[in-house]
Amino acid sequence: MQTLAEILPQERILSRLIDRMAFASDAGFYHLVPRAIVRPVNEKEIIALFGYSQSNNIPLVFRTGGTSLSGQSITNGILVDLSQHWGKINIEKEGEEVRVQPGIIGAKVNNYLLRYGRKIGPDPSSISAAMMGGILSNNASGMCCGTQFNSYHTMRHIRFILPCGNSYSTAHQPDYGRFEKDESALYEGLSTIRRNIQANQALSRKIRNKYKIKNTIGYALNAFLDYEHPLDIFSHLLIGAEGTLAFIAEAVMETIPDLPFKSTAMLYFTDIRAACAAIEPLSAAGAAMVELMDRASLRAVEGIAGIDPFISQLPQSASALLVEFQAGNLVELTAMVDGFLQSCTEFSLLKFPSFTTAEKERNFLWKIRKGLFPSVGAVRKKGTTVILEDIAFPVPNLGDAIADLQVLFETYKYPDAIIFGHARDGNIHFVVTQAFDTPAEVERYDAFIREVVDLVVKKYDGSLKAEHGTGRNMSPFVETEWGGEAYAIMKMVKQLADPRGLLNPGVIINENPQAHITDLKDLPEVEAEVDKCIECGYCEPNCPSRDFTTSPRRRIVLRRALAKMKLTGKRSEYKELLHQFTYDGLDTCAVDGLCATSCPVDINTGDLVKRLRQESHAPLANAIAVFAARNFGTIAALVRGLLKTGILVNKVTGRNTMLHLTRLVKKVQQRFPLWSNLLLSPPHAIQTPVTQPACTSTIVYFPSCISRVMGNYAGKAKNSMETFLSVCHKSKVNVLLPQQVNDICCSQLFSSKGYQDAHRIKANEVIEALWTATGSGKWPVVLDVSSCTYTLKHLEPVLNAENRTRFKQITIWDAVEFIYHQVIPSAIPKTKKRDIVLHPVCSLEKMNISYMLRSVASHFADQVTVPLSAGCCGMAGDRGFIVPGLTASATHAEAAEVCAASYDGHYSTTKTCELALTQATGRNYESILYLVDECL
């Protein structure tokens, strides 16, 4: 009998307590602790895992993005994590089809298709984090695709592996005959079911009617009517089967046009029925998206910065529709919008609609809509769980159904419940917050959900699950919706495909009538920074440590696990988990804050990590940090000396000597930085520039300590500071330097490590120096390292009152902003690079100025590429020297993409990030300043 260690190498078997607890949750409200998490890399290993499962009678569950909401990607058996090694994609037929593995994110697929003007049909709100395995297995749809372009209808071919280990592909014609021969029981069983359904007119009619609206509850019985051959039937049963019948190894999806012209508006109505009355006219007018939001959901987001203040003035009964028209050209788009506006006076609107085609404004409106679920979670009462259900009704009944649902909210005391959803399809989501800490609370939820079932099924003949999948929370009610005859067929399908019942047991088919209130997740109160997290997983794709140790969501899951262990007195488990969390949760976090950019409620897990680091520092460590802050010039000089010494040692005794020495020290002291052979001797000190006559403007140049210590570049005659001054000279910009420039820094070094006192000292010192240098705010300050710019721009919370006043009067620019605003408007390149690649550092992303980097690059190069896999490199100042595995993991995908092509130059805006990308790719990454200087 094989063991897991005989199937996979140990590094791809995660069985420590921290791993098991981190993967015990997904975006839903259930909690199961797996025995182990495994990461196979190919089909051979998948087949071996099936054999292990069967031999040991252990459940096997496949998981990709973990954004499922119904409990379908957790297990107390073996969890198969497909998020790392299953991300291949191939564009076919000029973008009309795309071949994907289960571990690629849906939004990334669309990014690859963008150049062809195409996209995949499904467009769930979670598409930026959801992966194709989950999108297929849940038959995802979304805001625009309706039922016509969901996963079921746009899947062209599929390759799958059965629990017995046999694999088949509908793209391979011989597999049809092999399926009949080698899977005779499954083949005959499916054939029999098909004949019985076709002979039963009432059942056939019921199936057709059920799929006229969105429906993902149970198995896709329409496959028996839509297809004839059992292999085609089974391949479509897999869509929406939630990983309970087989493993989807690959799929070919038909794509749809991504119409380039879009116009969006928020429409405000007097009440919910008035909004619902406008749905069918909007659809008839050509609206591609019609998203409903009730007053309660609007209240949840009315405090978001930049939102229309009109929302806060809406009456209690009000409702809204977020509407978007799409077209292939501007004339067609304008005609559709104008046509609707001419007739909209017929509706009970509180405000005349204002449509926008501006991408930034449109994206903001959709961010509000997509963030409704997490936004409600963020303002929930502490200790409660957020439950999101999705149901569908025939559109003519939608207004009445919502009114009835709101009555149930009142009856069962859910005052904060909200309703939103894809109104064009009669598909709505409702969110309630619920504690499960007492039997009475569990009973309240149970009674409520049973009345919801009666309302949806018996009164309106709707769908209990429109697009989120049956999972565990609707498994007891599949038979209620479908009836005994159809449910018996579904059970037969499960038995035929998975006779041992080991593939995601308890999902879809579950004989426990209390399954929806079993294995419920606790959300104990932890730290204020993250209490509002509902574990949706939207943050994970941006995290540099997600494939190395853990991710923002999993860090929060682990903090909650620690809190629960502490509350329940599990001292030994608490001690073990806390010890493991120190490295996985704290030491390997880049604190880059990119998680906040994709979090609907702006949770920055890096802030939590910095505070936890701060709390872990001993008084002596804090005292040393304060000493370093007060004597920064001396410390910087010492670092320069050590760097020169290391270079000399390598030169005398061999280029790898320092690398070997630091590796030895690191075995004893894990947090000791590792030497990099990419390090060069420090640049000479910057000289005060000579004032130029006929200058058009003046700036204060604040060269970062990184530039002062590491500003030399291989093969370049000028260091980065000299290069910046050269750009200014060619652009007729006068440059001033702060006094004692070598003694000041932006304080990022202390902030990221949680040395708050040192951070405060250095922050106030730098603002005082810059206040003097800028003539009391007269001239802008320009920095040459983007991470330092970001830090400097966010110093206000730690400044004293006087320096806060000064800070607000100082203009702070990154070098990219300076070049964008003051160089390229009048710069005529003397030469241009042909083809270059950029690495936009996370600080640019957080400052929302990455577009400026692309604009600058495009001014001096004919073709500019930003890799689709570009993200945080994990360097985080010195973090990459201390935990080199973090940067290796974070840059892996981007490096592979860069190395697959050839470029004339590789550019970024932060020296340490450039080192990380150079190390990962073997190509020399340089500051964007060199591109500008060489082409001016």
Side-chain angles (χ1 to χ4, degrees):
M1 186 182 297
Q2 271 190 315
T3 64
L4 280 178
E6 291 174 307
I7 297 171
L8 302 171
Q10 194 58 51
E11 64 267 20
R12 290 194 276 113
I13 303 172
L14 311 181
S15 56
R16 297 176 304 157
L17 178 62
I18 192 169
D19 302 319
R20 295 168 54 239
M21 298 307 297
F23 282 92
S25 299
D26 61 8
F29 56 100
Y30 297 96
H31 184 270
L32 287 171
V33 181
R35 300 190 195 187
I37 300 92
V38 295
R39 288 174 171 158
V41 299
N42 54 43
E43 292 184 20
K44 182 180 178 182
E45 291 181 347
I46 294 287
I47 292 168
L49 287 170
F50 270 128
Y52 177 84
S53 169
Q54 301 286 314
S55 298
N56 294 277
N57 201 39
I58 298 176
L60 205 64
V61 172
F62 297 100
R63 171 166 164 162
T64 50
T67 58
S68 297
L69 294 161
S70 304
Q72 54 266 65
S73 60
I74 56 172
T75 182
N76 55 8
I78 304 297
L79 188 67
V80 186
D81 176 20
L82 303 166
S83 64
Q84 288 196 26
H85 305 291
W86 296 82
K88 291 180 182 176
I89 178 174
N90 191 44
I91 309 296
E92 301 175 356
K93 296 182 180 179
E94 292 298 308
E96 291 185 6
E97 291 183 354
V98 58
R99 187 181 302 269
V100 294
Q101 285 189 315
I104 186 167
I105 293 171
K108 191 170 183 180
V109 176
N110 282 341
N111 286 338
Y112 277 102
L113 289 167
L114 195 61
R115 58 178 294 197
Y116 301 95
R118 312 283 293 184
K119 63 180 180 178
I120 58 173
D123 60 336
S125 296
S126 59
I127 196 168
S128 61
M131 296 178 178
M132 290 306 300
I135 287 172
L136 292 162
S137 293
N138 289 313
N139 190 19
S141 50
M143 292 176 285
C144 189
C145 76
T147 56
Q148 183 182 2
F149 299 119
N150 62 15
S151 303
Y152 177 94
H153 285 110
T154 55
M155 187 272 290
R156 282 293 157 262
H157 295 292
I158 197 166
R159 178 175 175 81
F160 62 88
I161 303 174
L162 290 166
C164 65
N166 293 339
S167 62
Y168 301 91
S169 171
T170 59
H172 188 54
Q173 197 60 37
D175 279 7
Y176 282 82
R178 193 164 61 86
F179 187 74
E180 179 178 0
K181 178 184 175 184
D182 294 349
E183 312 300 336
S184 57
L186 178 56
Y187 180 92
E188 291 298 333
L190 295 173
S191 298
T192 300
I193 293 172
R194 180 177 182 273
R195 287 193 297 270
N196 291 342
I197 289 177
Q198 290 199 321
N200 187 332
Q201 291 187 4
L203 181 57
S204 295
R205 188 163 51 251
K206 182 174 187 174
I207 292 171
R208 288 298 186 201
N209 287 336
K210 294 295 288 182
Y211 290 105
K212 286 181 179 178
I213 59 175
K214 287 186 178 182
N215 190 323
T216 61
I217 192 163
Y219 293 119
L221 295 186
N222 49 337
F224 290 102
L225 297 176
D226 294 340
Y227 298 94
E228 181 176 350
H229 195 283
L231 182 56
D232 289 324
I233 293 170
F234 189 73
S235 68
H236 285 82
L237 283 168
L238 291 179
I239 306 302
E242 302 170 40
T244 63
L245 301 179
F247 167 67
I248 298 175
E250 182 183 83
V252 177
M253 305 289 288
E254 179 186 356
T255 65
I256 63 174
D258 183 12
L259 298 174
F261 294 90
K262 302 176 176 72
S263 186
T264 312
M266 190 82 82
L267 278 58
Y268 303 101
F269 296 84
T270 54
D271 56 54
I272 201 83
R273 281 191 170 91
C276 290
I279 295 170
E280 289 185 302
L282 276 163
S283 298
M289 301 185 190
V290 182
E291 294 292 304
L292 174 74
M293 287 170 273
D294 72 350
R295 182 66 184 94
S297 62
L298 293 171
R299 193 176 300 113
V301 296
E302 64 185 22
I304 293 177
I307 203 165
D308 186 350
F310 181 74
I311 290 180
S312 62
Q313 303 165 20
L314 291 172
Q316 181 64 28
S317 62
S319 186
L321 293 176
L322 180 57
V323 176
E324 182 166 288
F325 289 90
Q326 300 179 356
N329 57 70
L330 190 58
V331 173
E332 183 183 349
L333 179 70
T334 304
M336 283 195 291
V337 173
D338 289 348
F340 168 71
L341 291 176
Q342 289 173 12
S343 63
C344 72
T345 53
E346 303 170 9
F347 307 120
S348 302
L349 289 163
L350 294 170
K351 182 181 182 183
F352 191 77
S354 177
F355 280 85
T356 179
T357 58
E359 185 175 6
K360 186 176 181 180
E361 295 174 12
R362 289 182 47 259
N363 288 342
F364 180 73
L365 288 172
W366 285 113
K367 182 181 180 181
I368 294 170
R369 162 59 188 87
K370 291 180 178 182
L372 273 176
F373 170 43
S375 296
V376 172
V379 297
R380 74 189 188 282
K381 183 180 178 182
K382 291 183 178 181
T384 61
T385 298
V386 184
I387 299 169
L388 173 63
E389 285 294 351
D390 74 305
I391 51 183
F393 303 96
V395 172
N397 298 335
L398 189 59
D400 291 336
I402 291 174
D404 287 346
L405 188 59
Q406 289 173 328
V407 171
L408 291 182
F409 294 157
E410 294 179 14
T411 302
Y412 288 95
K413 296 180 175 57
Y414 291 108
D416 299 323
I418 72 167
I419 292 173
F420 61 95
H422 318 311
R424 196 186 66 154
D425 303 309
N427 172 201
I428 62 166
H429 307 308
F430 67 85
V431 178
V432 295
T433 59
Q434 169 80 52
F436 291 116
D437 53 352
T438 66
E441 281 294 281
V442 175
E443 288 172 11
R444 175 169 72 105
Y445 174 72
D446 182 30
F448 166 70
I449 210 67
R450 291 182 186 278
E451 283 221 43
V452 169
V453 170
D454 286 345
L455 174 70
V456 174
V457 174
K458 296 178 181 178
K459 185 169 184 178
Y460 291 106
D461 193 23
S463 301
L464 287 171
K465 278 295 181 180
E467 56 182 7
H468 292 167
T470 309
R472 300 173 188 279
N473 60 335
M474 278 298 162
S475 59
F477 309 109
V478 177
E479 186 173 4
T480 305
E481 175 164 337
W482 276 100
E485 190 174 24
Y487 185 60
I489 291 172
M490 294 180 186
K491 291 170 67 176
M492 192 182 306
V493 168
K494 172 68 172 174
Q495 176 64 30
L496 287 167
D498 182 25
R500 300 283 300 277
L502 294 172
L503 196 50
N504 212 356
V507 170
I508 297 182
I509 304 298
N510 194 324
E511 299 302 320
N512 178 8
Q514 303 296 311
H516 60 300
I517 51 174
T518 304
D519 299 315
L520 298 168
K521 178 197 291 185
D522 283 332
L523 291 181
E525 185 176 344
V526 280
E527 289 83 13
E529 295 96 329
V530 297
D531 266 336
K532 56 187 178 180
C533 174
I534 61 164
E535 303 173 10
C536 66
Y538 287 13
C539 58
E540 290 190 326
N542 283 349
C543 178
S545 64
R546 66 186 182 277
D547 295 336
F548 182 58
T549 50
T550 190
S551 67
R553 169 170 63 172
R554 299 202 295 271
R555 284 182 173 91
I556 294 170
V557 168
L558 292 167
R559 293 303 298 175
R560 287 172 172 157
L562 284 165
K564 187 173 181 182
M565 288 174 183
K566 197 171 186 178
L567 285 170
T568 54
K570 296 181 178 179
R571 296 180 63 183
S572 61
E573 285 188 348
Y574 176 82
K575 186 176 180 181
E576 179 184 358
L577 185 58
L578 185 61
H579 174 72
Q580 293 171 346
F581 185 79
T582 300
Y583 179 76
D584 285 37
L586 301 183
D587 291 352
T588 62
C589 178
V591 297
D592 61 348
L594 273 188
C595 45
T597 64
S598 55
C599 174
V601 291
D602 301 321
I603 297 173
N604 186 339
T605 315
D607 289 343
L608 167 66
V609 169
K610 284 191 277 189
R611 186 165 69 77
L612 293 175
R613 287 175 182 172
Q614 177 188 344
E615 292 172 0
S616 70
H617 293 319
L620 178 60
N622 282 316
I624 293 171
V626 168
F627 175 83
R630 295 190 188 282
N631 298 274
F632 189 81
T634 303
I635 300 298
L638 177 62
V639 172
R640 287 171 59 91
L642 290 172
L643 190 56
K644 287 181 180 178
T645 302
I647 299 290
L648 180 62
V649 168
N650 270 356
K651 190 176 290 185
V652 173
T653 61
R655 71 183 305 267
N656 291 320
T657 303
M658 287 299 298
L659 184 60
H660 294 321
L661 284 174
T662 53
R663 277 178 180 165
L664 285 173
V665 177
K666 199 166 181 61
K667 288 181 179 179
V668 180
Q669 174 50 259
Q670 191 179 48
R671 296 181 182 179
F672 192 82
L674 195 67
W675 180 268
S676 170
N677 283 337
L678 295 175
L679 293 171
L680 301 174
S681 189
H684 50 75
I686 185 170
Q687 301 298 315
T688 303
V690 177
T691 301
Q692 299 183 73
C695 283
T696 57
S697 61
T698 298
I699 65 165
V700 173
Y701 174 38
F702 177 16
S704 70
C705 55
I706 295 175
S707 295
R708 302 195 303 261
V709 175
M710 302 168 63
N712 274 329
Y713 285 78
K716 298 295 182 182
K718 290 183 281 193
N719 62 49
S720 59
M721 297 178 290
E722 293 169 329
T723 303
F724 180 86
L725 294 177
S726 176
V727 168
C728 292
H729 178 80
K730 293 175 181 178
S731 304
K732 293 184 169 55
V733 175
N734 191 40
V735 180
L736 305 176
L737 288 179
Q739 292 182 349
Q740 306 299 319
V741 67
N742 291 319
D743 293 333
I744 59 175
C745 90
C746 68
S747 79
Q748 179 189 11
L749 173 67
F750 305 105
S751 169
S752 64
K753 290 176 173 55
Y755 291 112
Q756 195 67 6
D757 291 341
H759 172 40
R760 186 175 291 107
I761 290 168
K762 213 65 199 163
N764 281 281
E765 182 182 290
V766 72
I767 294 303
E768 289 166 4
L770 293 179
W771 181 250
T772 300
T774 59
S776 304
K778 182 178 179 182
W779 306 294
V781 176
V782 181
L783 288 88
D784 54 8
V785 167
S786 298
S787 59
C788 299
T789 310
Y790 179 82
T791 300
L792 198 64
K793 286 186 175 187
H794 293 81
L795 288 183
E796 186 175 357
V798 295
L799 298 177
N800 60 39
E802 184 178 10
N803 282 331
R804 283 191 185 189
T805 302
R806 292 168 171 170
F807 175 82
K808 291 174 182 177
Q809 299 177 63
I810 298 175
T811 300
I812 300 167
W813 276 350
D814 187 70
V816 167
E817 291 177 280
F818 163 66
I819 297 167
Y820 180 85
H821 289 301
Q822 289 201 227
V823 176
I824 63 173
S826 58
I828 301 174
K830 68 175 183 181
T831 183
K832 274 192 171 189
K833 295 277 187 175
R834 181 180 57 84
D835 190 359
I836 67 170
V837 66
L838 301 177
H839 172 72
V841 300
C842 46
S843 298
L844 291 181
E845 296 290 335
K846 291 187 291 182
M847 291 187 288
N848 295 314
I849 59 173
S850 289
Y851 73 93
M852 293 187 184
L853 175 63
R854 289 190 288 271
S855 180
V856 168
S858 297
H859 195 76
F860 298 105
D862 293 324
Q863 187 168 332
V864 177
T865 298
V866 177
L868 294 176
S869 300
C872 177
C873 67
M875 197 66 179
D878 63 356
R879 188 63 33 180
F881 296 115
I882 297 169
V883 190
L886 173 62
T887 53
S889 176
T891 57
H892 176 75
E894 183 176 356
E897 199 174 333
V898 170
C899 291
S902 179
Y903 301 98
D904 294 334
H906 305 72
Y907 300 99
S908 191
T909 60
T910 295
K911 174 66 176 183
T912 49
C913 301
E914 291 152 17
L915 286 174
L917 268 295
T918 300
Q919 180 73 44
T921 63
R923 319 287 174 88
N924 285 327
Y925 273 76
E926 304 167 353
S927 169
I928 193 71
L929 293 169
Y930 285 97
L931 173 69
V932 178
D933 186 46
E934 290 166 10
C935 293
L936 270 178

